[in-house]
Amino acid sequence: MKTFKFFQYAYLVFAVLFLYDAIANWGDSKAYMSLLLGATAVFMFFFKQRFSKKIENKDRK
């Protein structure tokens, strides 16, 4: 179960990397793709976190 928590925070690391890439390539069309991928990574972080809490609560009952 601890590996799932590691992957949750890996999504945040990827979001920061994509944000940096978007800023570095701001004038290019590649920046929009990086912003989209960064937003997706943030969404996946919160989705995985919520899903993990649901599984923990289910196991306790």
Side-chain angles (χ1 to χ4, degrees):
M1 198 63 158
K2 293 186 186 238
T3 57
F4 290 124
K5 290 191 183 250
F6 169 75
F7 284 116
Q8 285 179 6
Y9 293 107
Y11 282 117
L12 287 180
V13 171
F14 282 114
V16 169
L17 290 174
F18 284 126
L19 181 62
Y20 173 76
D21 187 49
I23 292 170
N25 298 317
W26 185 246
D28 197 10
S29 64
K30 183 181 176 186
Y32 297 114
M33 183 60 75
S34 293
L35 284 175
L36 178 67
L37 289 171
T40 304
V42 170
F43 169 76
M44 286 299 296
F45 168 75
F46 288 113
F47 179 77
K48 291 280 189 177
Q49 189 177 30
R50 187 173 180 196
F51 184 74
S52 173
K53 286 181 183 179
K54 282 185 179 181
I55 295 296
E56 281 181 18
N57 289 337
K58 188 177 180 181
D59 289 341
R60 287 182 189 168
K61 291 181 180 178

